[in-house]
Amino acid sequence: MIVLLILGLALVGGTIIYGATGAQNGTLNTKKFKKVVKINIGAILPVVVLFMVLAFPMVSKATSVSATATGADIATTDTTTTTTTDTTSVGTGLKYIAIALSTGLAAVGAGYAVAMAASSSIGAVSEDDKIMGKTLIYVGLAEGIVLYGMIISFMILFVG
C-alpha cells in the first residue's frame, strides 16, 4: 500500500517538476504539457482508487454500541449490557466507493448536460420567445440524471 502512495506522489511530483523546468527554460510546449497531464491523470486515478479500496477497511471501524437497561427507573438500574461489533471488510469499502461514484458521476454528467441544454436554450429563446416552455423541459430532463444516480446510491446503501 505504501508503494501505491509513493507511485502516486512520484507521478504528481514528476509532472510538477516537468512543468516548472519547462516554464523556467522557456521551452514549455502547451500541447506536450497537456499530454503529460493527461497521462498523469490517467495513471493517478486508478492508483488512488486502488489505494482507497485497500486502505478503507483499515480506516473505517464501524462500531455499534447498544446499551440496554432493565428496571422501572433508569436512575436505579443496576443491569447494563454493552455490545461492540467490528463489521469492516473490503466489501464495505467497495460499497461506499460505488455509492460515491454513482452519485458523483451522475452529478458531473448532469452538470454537463444542463450546461449544454441551457446554453442552447438561451440561444433558441433569443430567436423565438414562444419556445421557452419546451426548452425548460429539456433542461429539466438533464437535471433528472442526478436523481437516477442518487436512487442507485440509495439502493446500494440500503439493499446491498
PDB file of all heavy atoms in Angstrom, residues 16-59:
ATOM      1  N   ILE A  16       4.819  18.098 -11.940  1.00  0.00           N
ATOM      2  CA  ILE A  16       5.081  19.452 -11.428  1.00  0.00           C
ATOM      3  C   ILE A  16       6.504  19.883 -11.784  1.00  0.00           C
ATOM      4  O   ILE A  16       6.724  21.022 -12.230  1.00  0.00           O
ATOM      5  CB  ILE A  16       4.846  19.501  -9.899  1.00  0.00           C
ATOM      6  CG1 ILE A  16       3.356  19.339  -9.598  1.00  0.00           C
ATOM      7  CG2 ILE A  16       5.383  20.795  -9.302  1.00  0.00           C
ATOM      8  CD1 ILE A  16       3.026  19.163  -8.145  1.00  0.00           C
ATOM      9  N   ILE A  17       7.462  18.992 -11.621  1.00  0.00           N
ATOM     10  CA  ILE A  17       8.854  19.326 -11.954  1.00  0.00           C
ATOM     11  C   ILE A  17       8.996  19.583 -13.447  1.00  0.00           C
ATOM     12  O   ILE A  17       9.682  20.525 -13.869  1.00  0.00           O
ATOM     13  CB  ILE A  17       9.810  18.211 -11.466  1.00  0.00           C
ATOM     14  CG1 ILE A  17       9.851  18.203  -9.940  1.00  0.00           C
ATOM     15  CG2 ILE A  17      11.202  18.374 -12.044  1.00  0.00           C
ATOM     16  CD1 ILE A  17      10.555  17.004  -9.353  1.00  0.00           C
ATOM     17  N   TYR A  18       8.346  18.765 -14.281  1.00  0.00           N
ATOM     18  CA  TYR A  18       8.407  18.952 -15.731  1.00  0.00           C
ATOM     19  C   TYR A  18       7.843  20.323 -16.127  1.00  0.00           C
ATOM     20  O   TYR A  18       8.436  21.046 -16.933  1.00  0.00           O
ATOM     21  CB  TYR A  18       7.627  17.841 -16.431  1.00  0.00           C
ATOM     22  CG  TYR A  18       7.547  18.007 -17.925  1.00  0.00           C
ATOM     23  CD1 TYR A  18       8.633  17.701 -18.728  1.00  0.00           C
ATOM     24  CD2 TYR A  18       6.376  18.465 -18.530  1.00  0.00           C
ATOM     25  CE1 TYR A  18       8.563  17.849 -20.098  1.00  0.00           C
ATOM     26  CE2 TYR A  18       6.302  18.616 -19.896  1.00  0.00           C
ATOM     27  CZ  TYR A  18       7.396  18.309 -20.682  1.00  0.00           C
ATOM     28  OH  TYR A  18       7.327  18.458 -22.036  1.00  0.00           O
ATOM     29  N   GLY A  19       6.717  20.688 -15.539  1.00  0.00           N
ATOM     30  CA  GLY A  19       6.115  21.981 -15.850  1.00  0.00           C
ATOM     31  C   GLY A  19       6.958  23.146 -15.363  1.00  0.00           C
ATOM     32  O   GLY A  19       7.109  24.157 -16.053  1.00  0.00           O
ATOM     33  N   ALA A  20       7.534  22.999 -14.174  1.00  0.00           N
ATOM     34  CA  ALA A  20       8.347  24.090 -13.623  1.00  0.00           C
ATOM     35  C   ALA A  20       9.625  24.295 -14.425  1.00  0.00           C
ATOM     36  O   ALA A  20      10.005  25.435 -14.729  1.00  0.00           O
ATOM     37  CB  ALA A  20       8.669  23.803 -12.159  1.00  0.00           C
ATOM     38  N   THR A  21      10.303  23.219 -14.783  1.00  0.00           N
ATOM     39  CA  THR A  21      11.543  23.373 -15.559  1.00  0.00           C
ATOM     40  C   THR A  21      11.256  23.868 -16.973  1.00  0.00           C
ATOM     41  O   THR A  21      12.023  24.653 -17.521  1.00  0.00           O
ATOM     42  CB  THR A  21      12.327  22.049 -15.624  1.00  0.00           C
ATOM     43  OG1 THR A  21      11.473  21.030 -16.163  1.00  0.00           O
ATOM     44  CG2 THR A  21      12.819  21.650 -14.256  1.00  0.00           C
ATOM     45  N   GLY A  22      10.144  23.420 -17.566  1.00  0.00           N
ATOM     46  CA  GLY A  22       9.791  23.890 -18.911  1.00  0.00           C
ATOM     47  C   GLY A  22       9.430  25.357 -18.917  1.00  0.00           C
ATOM     48  O   GLY A  22       9.790  26.101 -19.835  1.00  0.00           O
ATOM     49  N   ALA A  23       8.748  25.815 -17.878  1.00  0.00           N
ATOM     50  CA  ALA A  23       8.396  27.233 -17.795  1.00  0.00           C
ATOM     51  C   ALA A  23       9.626  28.087 -17.508  1.00  0.00           C
ATOM     52  O   ALA A  23       9.742  29.215 -17.991  1.00  0.00           O
ATOM     53  CB  ALA A  23       7.349  27.442 -16.701  1.00  0.00           C
ATOM     54  N   GLN A  24      10.563  27.554 -16.745  1.00  0.00           N
ATOM     55  CA  GLN A  24      11.770  28.306 -16.411  1.00  0.00           C
ATOM     56  C   GLN A  24      12.693  28.442 -17.625  1.00  0.00           C
ATOM     57  O   GLN A  24      13.290  29.489 -17.842  1.00  0.00           O
ATOM     58  CB  GLN A  24      12.495  27.595 -15.268  1.00  0.00           C
ATOM     59  CG  GLN A  24      13.455  28.458 -14.510  1.00  0.00           C
ATOM     60  CD  GLN A  24      13.979  27.721 -13.288  1.00  0.00           C
ATOM     61  OE1 GLN A  24      14.225  26.513 -13.332  1.00  0.00           O
ATOM     62  NE2 GLN A  24      14.131  28.434 -12.194  1.00  0.00           N
ATOM     63  N   ASN A  25      12.821  27.400 -18.419  1.00  0.00           N
ATOM     64  CA  ASN A  25      13.685  27.434 -19.597  1.00  0.00           C
ATOM     65  C   ASN A  25      13.032  28.123 -20.790  1.00  0.00           C
ATOM     66  O   ASN A  25      13.708  28.445 -21.750  1.00  0.00           O
ATOM     67  CB  ASN A  25      14.074  26.003 -20.016  1.00  0.00           C
ATOM     68  CG  ASN A  25      14.889  25.308 -18.963  1.00  0.00           C
ATOM     69  OD1 ASN A  25      15.513  25.947 -18.131  1.00  0.00           O
ATOM     70  ND2 ASN A  25      14.875  23.989 -18.989  1.00  0.00           N
ATOM     71  N   GLY A  26      11.749  28.296 -20.732  1.00  0.00           N
ATOM     72  CA  GLY A  26      11.038  28.888 -21.859  1.00  0.00           C
ATOM     73  C   GLY A  26      10.741  27.897 -22.970  1.00  0.00           C
ATOM     74  O   GLY A  26      10.352  28.269 -24.060  1.00  0.00           O
ATOM     75  N   THR A  27      10.918  26.613 -22.695  1.00  0.00           N
ATOM     76  CA  THR A  27      10.684  25.580 -23.712  1.00  0.00           C
ATOM     77  C   THR A  27       9.393  24.808 -23.454  1.00  0.00           C
ATOM     78  O   THR A  27       9.225  23.708 -23.948  1.00  0.00           O
ATOM     79  CB  THR A  27      11.848  24.583 -23.735  1.00  0.00           C
ATOM     80  OG1 THR A  27      11.953  23.971 -22.439  1.00  0.00           O
ATOM     81  CG2 THR A  27      13.147  25.269 -24.104  1.00  0.00           C
ATOM     82  N   LEU A  28       8.511  25.392 -22.679  1.00  0.00           N
ATOM     83  CA  LEU A  28       7.281  24.698 -22.323  1.00  0.00           C
ATOM     84  C   LEU A  28       6.322  24.712 -23.509  1.00  0.00           C
ATOM     85  O   LEU A  28       5.844  25.756 -23.934  1.00  0.00           O
ATOM     86  CB  LEU A  28       6.614  25.351 -21.105  1.00  0.00           C
ATOM     87  CG  LEU A  28       5.334  24.695 -20.614  1.00  0.00           C
ATOM     88  CD1 LEU A  28       5.635  23.279 -20.137  1.00  0.00           C
ATOM     89  CD2 LEU A  28       4.722  25.501 -19.496  1.00  0.00           C
ATOM     90  N   ASN A  29       6.068  23.553 -24.031  1.00  0.00           N
ATOM     91  CA  ASN A  29       5.126  23.389 -25.117  1.00  0.00           C
ATOM     92  C   ASN A  29       3.783  22.990 -24.497  1.00  0.00           C
ATOM     93  O   ASN A  29       3.677  21.951 -23.859  1.00  0.00           O
ATOM     94  CB  ASN A  29       5.633  22.310 -26.078  1.00  0.00           C
ATOM     95  CG  ASN A  29       4.763  22.146 -27.299  1.00  0.00           C
ATOM     96  OD1 ASN A  29       3.748  22.812 -27.435  1.00  0.00           O
ATOM     97  ND2 ASN A  29       5.174  21.258 -28.184  1.00  0.00           N
ATOM     98  N   THR A  30       2.770  23.806 -24.684  1.00  0.00           N
ATOM     99  CA  THR A  30       1.494  23.538 -24.012  1.00  0.00           C
ATOM    100  C   THR A  30       0.853  22.251 -24.503  1.00  0.00           C
ATOM    101  O   THR A  30       0.228  21.540 -23.726  1.00  0.00           O
ATOM    102  CB  THR A  30       0.526  24.715 -24.212  1.00  0.00           C
ATOM    103  OG1 THR A  30       0.356  24.952 -25.608  1.00  0.00           O
ATOM    104  CG2 THR A  30       1.027  25.964 -23.534  1.00  0.00           C
ATOM    105  N   LYS A  31       1.031  21.923 -25.766  1.00  0.00           N
ATOM    106  CA  LYS A  31       0.459  20.690 -26.287  1.00  0.00           C
ATOM    107  C   LYS A  31       1.119  19.474 -25.642  1.00  0.00           C
ATOM    108  O   LYS A  31       0.452  18.521 -25.246  1.00  0.00           O
ATOM    109  CB  LYS A  31       0.621  20.650 -27.799  1.00  0.00           C
ATOM    110  CG  LYS A  31      -0.103  19.534 -28.475  1.00  0.00           C
ATOM    111  CD  LYS A  31      -0.010  19.643 -29.982  1.00  0.00           C
ATOM    112  CE  LYS A  31      -0.803  18.540 -30.652  1.00  0.00           C
ATOM    113  NZ  LYS A  31      -0.704  18.623 -32.113  1.00  0.00           N
ATOM    114  N   LYS A  32       2.422  19.528 -25.500  1.00  0.00           N
ATOM    115  CA  LYS A  32       3.166  18.442 -24.880  1.00  0.00           C
ATOM    116  C   LYS A  32       2.843  18.352 -23.384  1.00  0.00           C
ATOM    117  O   LYS A  32       2.699  17.264 -22.828  1.00  0.00           O
ATOM    118  CB  LYS A  32       4.660  18.690 -25.087  1.00  0.00           C
ATOM    119  CG  LYS A  32       5.536  17.500 -24.920  1.00  0.00           C
ATOM    120  CD  LYS A  32       6.966  17.872 -25.314  1.00  0.00           C
ATOM    121  CE  LYS A  32       7.883  16.699 -25.281  1.00  0.00           C
ATOM    122  NZ  LYS A  32       9.264  17.074 -25.567  1.00  0.00           N
ATOM    123  N   PHE A  33       2.706  19.516 -22.749  1.00  0.00           N
ATOM    124  CA  PHE A  33       2.394  19.543 -21.320  1.00  0.00           C
ATOM    125  C   PHE A  33       0.998  18.979 -21.062  1.00  0.00           C
ATOM    126  O   PHE A  33       0.781  18.253 -20.092  1.00  0.00           O
ATOM    127  CB  PHE A  33       2.518  20.965 -20.777  1.00  0.00           C
ATOM    128  CG  PHE A  33       2.330  21.044 -19.290  1.00  0.00           C
ATOM    129  CD1 PHE A  33       3.287  20.522 -18.439  1.00  0.00           C
ATOM    130  CD2 PHE A  33       1.207  21.624 -18.747  1.00  0.00           C
ATOM    131  CE1 PHE A  33       3.124  20.585 -17.070  1.00  0.00           C
ATOM    132  CE2 PHE A  33       1.035  21.691 -17.379  1.00  0.00           C
ATOM    133  CZ  PHE A  33       1.999  21.170 -16.540  1.00  0.00           C
ATOM    134  N   LYS A  34       0.047  19.295 -21.947  1.00  0.00           N
ATOM    135  CA  LYS A  34      -1.304  18.742 -21.792  1.00  0.00           C
ATOM    136  C   LYS A  34      -1.284  17.227 -21.914  1.00  0.00           C
ATOM    137  O   LYS A  34      -2.009  16.531 -21.213  1.00  0.00           O
ATOM    138  CB  LYS A  34      -2.249  19.340 -22.835  1.00  0.00           C
ATOM    139  CG  LYS A  34      -2.676  20.744 -22.526  1.00  0.00           C
ATOM    140  CD  LYS A  34      -3.641  21.260 -23.579  1.00  0.00           C
ATOM    141  CE  LYS A  34      -4.044  22.691 -23.309  1.00  0.00           C
ATOM    142  NZ  LYS A  34      -4.994  23.196 -24.312  1.00  0.00           N
ATOM    143  N   LYS A  35      -0.445  16.714 -22.785  1.00  0.00           N
ATOM    144  CA  LYS A  35      -0.326  15.268 -22.946  1.00  0.00           C
ATOM    145  C   LYS A  35       0.216  14.633 -21.673  1.00  0.00           C
ATOM    146  O   LYS A  35      -0.275  13.589 -21.225  1.00  0.00           O
ATOM    147  CB  LYS A  35       0.584  14.948 -24.130  1.00  0.00           C
ATOM    148  CG  LYS A  35       0.716  13.476 -24.410  1.00  0.00           C
ATOM    149  CD  LYS A  35       1.618  13.224 -25.606  1.00  0.00           C
ATOM    150  CE  LYS A  35       1.771  11.726 -25.837  1.00  0.00           C
ATOM    151  NZ  LYS A  35       2.686  11.434 -26.922  1.00  0.00           N
ATOM    152  N   VAL A  36       1.210  15.268 -21.067  1.00  0.00           N
ATOM    153  CA  VAL A  36       1.785  14.746 -19.826  1.00  0.00           C
ATOM    154  C   VAL A  36       0.755  14.792 -18.700  1.00  0.00           C
ATOM    155  O   VAL A  36       0.655  13.858 -17.900  1.00  0.00           O
ATOM    156  CB  VAL A  36       3.064  15.534 -19.453  1.00  0.00           C
ATOM    157  CG1 VAL A  36       3.554  15.162 -18.070  1.00  0.00           C
ATOM    158  CG2 VAL A  36       4.147  15.285 -20.474  1.00  0.00           C
ATOM    159  N   VAL A  37      -0.029  15.854 -18.643  1.00  0.00           N
ATOM    160  CA  VAL A  37      -1.058  15.960 -17.604  1.00  0.00           C
ATOM    161  C   VAL A  37      -2.125  14.882 -17.800  1.00  0.00           C
ATOM    162  O   VAL A  37      -2.596  14.266 -16.840  1.00  0.00           O
ATOM    163  CB  VAL A  37      -1.675  17.373 -17.587  1.00  0.00           C
ATOM    164  CG1 VAL A  37      -2.899  17.424 -16.703  1.00  0.00           C
ATOM    165  CG2 VAL A  37      -0.646  18.388 -17.110  1.00  0.00           C
ATOM    166  N   LYS A  38      -2.510  14.618 -19.055  1.00  0.00           N
ATOM    167  CA  LYS A  38      -3.488  13.557 -19.312  1.00  0.00           C
ATOM    168  C   LYS A  38      -2.944  12.192 -18.888  1.00  0.00           C
ATOM    169  O   LYS A  38      -3.674  11.377 -18.316  1.00  0.00           O
ATOM    170  CB  LYS A  38      -3.855  13.534 -20.790  1.00  0.00           C
ATOM    171  CG  LYS A  38      -4.758  14.661 -21.210  1.00  0.00           C
ATOM    172  CD  LYS A  38      -5.069  14.586 -22.693  1.00  0.00           C
ATOM    173  CE  LYS A  38      -5.877  15.789 -23.132  1.00  0.00           C
ATOM    174  NZ  LYS A  38      -6.143  15.765 -24.584  1.00  0.00           N
ATOM    175  N   ILE A  39      -1.687  11.941 -19.179  1.00  0.00           N
ATOM    176  CA  ILE A  39      -1.079  10.677 -18.759  1.00  0.00           C
ATOM    177  C   ILE A  39      -1.043  10.592 -17.238  1.00  0.00           C
ATOM    178  O   ILE A  39      -1.332   9.547 -16.646  1.00  0.00           O
ATOM    179  CB  ILE A  39       0.338  10.537 -19.352  1.00  0.00           C
ATOM    180  CG1 ILE A  39       0.248  10.345 -20.864  1.00  0.00           C
ATOM    181  CG2 ILE A  39       1.095   9.389 -18.702  1.00  0.00           C
ATOM    182  CD1 ILE A  39       1.580  10.402 -21.573  1.00  0.00           C
ATOM    183  N   ASN A  40      -0.730  11.715 -16.578  1.00  0.00           N
ATOM    184  CA  ASN A  40      -0.667  11.749 -15.123  1.00  0.00           C
ATOM    185  C   ASN A  40      -2.034  11.452 -14.519  1.00  0.00           C
ATOM    186  O   ASN A  40      -2.156  10.641 -13.602  1.00  0.00           O
ATOM    187  CB  ASN A  40      -0.160  13.122 -14.672  1.00  0.00           C
ATOM    188  CG  ASN A  40       0.131  13.158 -13.199  1.00  0.00           C
ATOM    189  OD1 ASN A  40      -0.091  12.208 -12.480  1.00  0.00           O
ATOM    190  ND2 ASN A  40       0.633  14.280 -12.748  1.00  0.00           N
ATOM    191  N   ILE A  41      -3.057  12.110 -15.036  1.00  0.00           N
ATOM    192  CA  ILE A  41      -4.405  11.891 -14.501  1.00  0.00           C
ATOM    193  C   ILE A  41      -4.857  10.461 -14.777  1.00  0.00           C
ATOM    194  O   ILE A  41      -5.452   9.813 -13.923  1.00  0.00           O
ATOM    195  CB  ILE A  41      -5.379  12.927 -15.084  1.00  0.00           C
ATOM    196  CG1 ILE A  41      -5.054  14.303 -14.520  1.00  0.00           C
ATOM    197  CG2 ILE A  41      -6.818  12.556 -14.766  1.00  0.00           C
ATOM    198  CD1 ILE A  41      -5.830  15.422 -15.144  1.00  0.00           C
ATOM    199  N   GLY A  42      -4.556   9.960 -15.980  1.00  0.00           N
ATOM    200  CA  GLY A  42      -4.919   8.592 -16.304  1.00  0.00           C
ATOM    201  C   GLY A  42      -4.208   7.561 -15.443  1.00  0.00           C
ATOM    202  O   GLY A  42      -4.719   6.473 -15.217  1.00  0.00           O
ATOM    203  N   ALA A  43      -3.041   7.893 -14.947  1.00  0.00           N
ATOM    204  CA  ALA A  43      -2.300   6.964 -14.104  1.00  0.00           C
ATOM    205  C   ALA A  43      -2.632   7.145 -12.626  1.00  0.00           C
ATOM    206  O   ALA A  43      -2.641   6.168 -11.875  1.00  0.00           O
ATOM    207  CB  ALA A  43      -0.804   7.159 -14.314  1.00  0.00           C
ATOM    208  N   ILE A  44      -2.899   8.369 -12.208  1.00  0.00           N
ATOM    209  CA  ILE A  44      -3.103   8.604 -10.784  1.00  0.00           C
ATOM    210  C   ILE A  44      -4.490   8.162 -10.320  1.00  0.00           C
ATOM    211  O   ILE A  44      -4.641   7.697  -9.190  1.00  0.00           O
ATOM    212  CB  ILE A  44      -2.837  10.088 -10.411  1.00  0.00           C
ATOM    213  CG1 ILE A  44      -2.709  10.269  -8.891  1.00  0.00           C
ATOM    214  CG2 ILE A  44      -3.942  10.990 -10.906  1.00  0.00           C
ATOM    215  CD1 ILE A  44      -1.452   9.745  -8.336  1.00  0.00           C
ATOM    216  N   LEU A  45      -5.501   8.268 -11.166  1.00  0.00           N
ATOM    217  CA  LEU A  45      -6.845   7.885 -10.737  1.00  0.00           C
ATOM    218  C   LEU A  45      -6.954   6.402 -10.376  1.00  0.00           C
ATOM    219  O   LEU A  45      -7.497   6.076  -9.312  1.00  0.00           O
ATOM    220  CB  LEU A  45      -7.872   8.279 -11.798  1.00  0.00           C
ATOM    221  CG  LEU A  45      -8.171   9.776 -11.881  1.00  0.00           C
ATOM    222  CD1 LEU A  45      -9.179  10.060 -12.978  1.00  0.00           C
ATOM    223  CD2 LEU A  45      -8.676  10.310 -10.568  1.00  0.00           C
ATOM    224  N   PRO A  46      -6.451   5.479 -11.195  1.00  0.00           N
ATOM    225  CA  PRO A  46      -6.502   4.074 -10.745  1.00  0.00           C
ATOM    226  C   PRO A  46      -5.678   3.822  -9.487  1.00  0.00           C
ATOM    227  O   PRO A  46      -6.068   3.010  -8.647  1.00  0.00           O
ATOM    228  CB  PRO A  46      -5.923   3.297 -11.930  1.00  0.00           C
ATOM    229  CG  PRO A  46      -6.067   4.183 -13.094  1.00  0.00           C
ATOM    230  CD  PRO A  46      -5.974   5.575 -12.573  1.00  0.00           C
ATOM    231  N   VAL A  47      -4.577   4.509  -9.332  1.00  0.00           N
ATOM    232  CA  VAL A  47      -3.756   4.336  -8.136  1.00  0.00           C
ATOM    233  C   VAL A  47      -4.521   4.812  -6.904  1.00  0.00           C
ATOM    234  O   VAL A  47      -4.528   4.140  -5.859  1.00  0.00           O
ATOM    235  CB  VAL A  47      -2.412   5.088  -8.280  1.00  0.00           C
ATOM    236  CG1 VAL A  47      -1.662   5.139  -6.962  1.00  0.00           C
ATOM    237  CG2 VAL A  47      -1.558   4.437  -9.345  1.00  0.00           C
ATOM    238  N   VAL A  48      -5.200   5.940  -7.004  1.00  0.00           N
ATOM    239  CA  VAL A  48      -5.962   6.467  -5.871  1.00  0.00           C
ATOM    240  C   VAL A  48      -7.123   5.547  -5.535  1.00  0.00           C
ATOM    241  O   VAL A  48      -7.385   5.256  -4.363  1.00  0.00           O
ATOM    242  CB  VAL A  48      -6.437   7.906  -6.170  1.00  0.00           C
ATOM    243  CG1 VAL A  48      -7.456   8.367  -5.155  1.00  0.00           C
ATOM    244  CG2 VAL A  48      -5.260   8.855  -6.189  1.00  0.00           C
ATOM    245  N   VAL A  49      -7.835   5.066  -6.546  1.00  0.00           N
ATOM    246  CA  VAL A  49      -8.961   4.163  -6.294  1.00  0.00           C
ATOM    247  C   VAL A  49      -8.477   2.869  -5.656  1.00  0.00           C
ATOM    248  O   VAL A  49      -9.075   2.375  -4.694  1.00  0.00           O
ATOM    249  CB  VAL A  49      -9.741   3.893  -7.600  1.00  0.00           C
ATOM    250  CG1 VAL A  49     -10.730   2.768  -7.424  1.00  0.00           C
ATOM    251  CG2 VAL A  49     -10.443   5.153  -8.059  1.00  0.00           C
ATOM    252  N   LEU A  50      -7.396   2.313  -6.149  1.00  0.00           N
ATOM    253  CA  LEU A  50      -6.838   1.098  -5.563  1.00  0.00           C
ATOM    254  C   LEU A  50      -6.391   1.341  -4.121  1.00  0.00           C
ATOM    255  O   LEU A  50      -6.615   0.502  -3.243  1.00  0.00           O
ATOM    256  CB  LEU A  50      -5.675   0.590  -6.411  1.00  0.00           C
ATOM    257  CG  LEU A  50      -5.127  -0.780  -6.057  1.00  0.00           C
ATOM    258  CD1 LEU A  50      -6.201  -1.843  -6.227  1.00  0.00           C
ATOM    259  CD2 LEU A  50      -3.936  -1.107  -6.934  1.00  0.00           C
ATOM    260  N   PHE A  51      -5.787   2.489  -3.872  1.00  0.00           N
ATOM    261  CA  PHE A  51      -5.379   2.837  -2.511  1.00  0.00           C
ATOM    262  C   PHE A  51      -6.592   2.936  -1.590  1.00  0.00           C
ATOM    263  O   PHE A  51      -6.564   2.454  -0.459  1.00  0.00           O
ATOM    264  CB  PHE A  51      -4.607   4.160  -2.521  1.00  0.00           C
ATOM    265  CG  PHE A  51      -4.114   4.577  -1.164  1.00  0.00           C
ATOM    266  CD1 PHE A  51      -3.044   3.938  -0.576  1.00  0.00           C
ATOM    267  CD2 PHE A  51      -4.739   5.600  -0.470  1.00  0.00           C
ATOM    268  CE1 PHE A  51      -2.584   4.317   0.673  1.00  0.00           C
ATOM    269  CE2 PHE A  51      -4.297   5.978   0.775  1.00  0.00           C
ATOM    270  CZ  PHE A  51      -3.220   5.336   1.355  1.00  0.00           C
ATOM    271  N   MET A  52      -7.683   3.538  -2.100  1.00  0.00           N
ATOM    272  CA  MET A  52      -8.894   3.661  -1.279  1.00  0.00           C
ATOM    273  C   MET A  52      -9.508   2.299  -0.992  1.00  0.00           C
ATOM    274  O   MET A  52      -9.972   2.037   0.119  1.00  0.00           O
ATOM    275  CB  MET A  52      -9.906   4.573  -1.976  1.00  0.00           C
ATOM    276  CG  MET A  52      -9.531   6.034  -1.950  1.00  0.00           C
ATOM    277  SD  MET A  52     -10.590   7.089  -2.966  1.00  0.00           S
ATOM    278  CE  MET A  52     -12.208   6.574  -2.522  1.00  0.00           C
ATOM    279  N   VAL A  53      -9.504   1.412  -1.982  1.00  0.00           N
ATOM    280  CA  VAL A  53     -10.067   0.083  -1.783  1.00  0.00           C
ATOM    281  C   VAL A  53      -9.270  -0.687  -0.736  1.00  0.00           C
ATOM    282  O   VAL A  53      -9.835  -1.367   0.120  1.00  0.00           O
ATOM    283  CB  VAL A  53     -10.108  -0.690  -3.119  1.00  0.00           C
ATOM    284  CG1 VAL A  53     -10.406  -2.152  -2.902  1.00  0.00           C
ATOM    285  CG2 VAL A  53     -11.142  -0.069  -4.040  1.00  0.00           C
ATOM    286  N   LEU A  54      -7.952  -0.573  -0.782  1.00  0.00           N
ATOM    287  CA  LEU A  54      -7.128  -1.312   0.160  1.00  0.00           C
ATOM    288  C   LEU A  54      -7.077  -0.671   1.539  1.00  0.00           C
ATOM    289  O   LEU A  54      -6.965  -1.368   2.545  1.00  0.00           O
ATOM    290  CB  LEU A  54      -5.709  -1.460  -0.392  1.00  0.00           C
ATOM    291  CG  LEU A  54      -5.581  -2.305  -1.669  1.00  0.00           C
ATOM    292  CD1 LEU A  54      -4.154  -2.268  -2.175  1.00  0.00           C
ATOM    293  CD2 LEU A  54      -6.028  -3.722  -1.414  1.00  0.00           C
ATOM    294  N   ALA A  55      -7.160   0.661   1.603  1.00  0.00           N
ATOM    295  CA  ALA A  55      -7.000   1.350   2.885  1.00  0.00           C
ATOM    296  C   ALA A  55      -8.316   1.552   3.617  1.00  0.00           C
ATOM    297  O   ALA A  55      -8.323   1.706   4.830  1.00  0.00           O
ATOM    298  CB  ALA A  55      -6.329   2.702   2.678  1.00  0.00           C
ATOM    299  N   PHE A  56      -9.440   1.560   2.911  1.00  0.00           N
ATOM    300  CA  PHE A  56     -10.715   1.902   3.545  1.00  0.00           C
ATOM    301  C   PHE A  56     -11.102   0.946   4.666  1.00  0.00           C
ATOM    302  O   PHE A  56     -11.554   1.395   5.720  1.00  0.00           O
ATOM    303  CB  PHE A  56     -11.827   1.989   2.502  1.00  0.00           C
ATOM    304  CG  PHE A  56     -13.064   2.642   3.006  1.00  0.00           C
ATOM    305  CD1 PHE A  56     -13.183   4.013   3.030  1.00  0.00           C
ATOM    306  CD2 PHE A  56     -14.118   1.880   3.489  1.00  0.00           C
ATOM    307  CE1 PHE A  56     -14.320   4.621   3.502  1.00  0.00           C
ATOM    308  CE2 PHE A  56     -15.257   2.475   3.965  1.00  0.00           C
ATOM    309  CZ  PHE A  56     -15.365   3.841   3.971  1.00  0.00           C
ATOM    310  N   PRO A  57     -10.979  -0.374   4.514  1.00  0.00           N
ATOM    311  CA  PRO A  57     -11.356  -1.248   5.630  1.00  0.00           C
ATOM    312  C   PRO A  57     -10.521  -1.027   6.884  1.00  0.00           C
ATOM    313  O   PRO A  57     -10.993  -1.261   7.986  1.00  0.00           O
ATOM    314  CB  PRO A  57     -11.137  -2.658   5.083  1.00  0.00           C
ATOM    315  CG  PRO A  57     -11.237  -2.512   3.627  1.00  0.00           C
ATOM    316  CD  PRO A  57     -10.673  -1.146   3.328  1.00  0.00           C
ATOM    317  N   MET A  58      -9.279  -0.584   6.735  1.00  0.00           N
ATOM    318  CA  MET A  58      -8.442  -0.354   7.906  1.00  0.00           C
ATOM    319  C   MET A  58      -8.794   0.964   8.600  1.00  0.00           C
ATOM    320  O   MET A  58      -8.600   1.102   9.788  1.00  0.00           O
ATOM    321  CB  MET A  58      -6.972  -0.340   7.497  1.00  0.00           C
ATOM    322  CG  MET A  58      -6.458  -1.682   7.082  1.00  0.00           C
ATOM    323  SD  MET A  58      -4.748  -1.567   6.625  1.00  0.00           S
ATOM    324  CE  MET A  58      -4.882  -1.894   4.888  1.00  0.00           C
ATOM    325  N   VAL A  59      -9.301   1.912   7.831  1.00  0.00           N
ATOM    326  CA  VAL A  59      -9.588   3.225   8.382  1.00  0.00           C
ATOM    327  C   VAL A  59     -10.954   3.258   9.053  1.00  0.00           C
ATOM    328  O   VAL A  59     -11.131   3.828  10.118  1.00  0.00           O
ATOM    329  CB  VAL A  59      -9.496   4.302   7.276  1.00  0.00           C
ATOM    330  CG1 VAL A  59      -9.944   5.643   7.794  1.00  0.00           C
ATOM    331  CG2 VAL A  59      -8.078   4.392   6.763  1.00  0.00           C
TER     332      VAL A  59
END
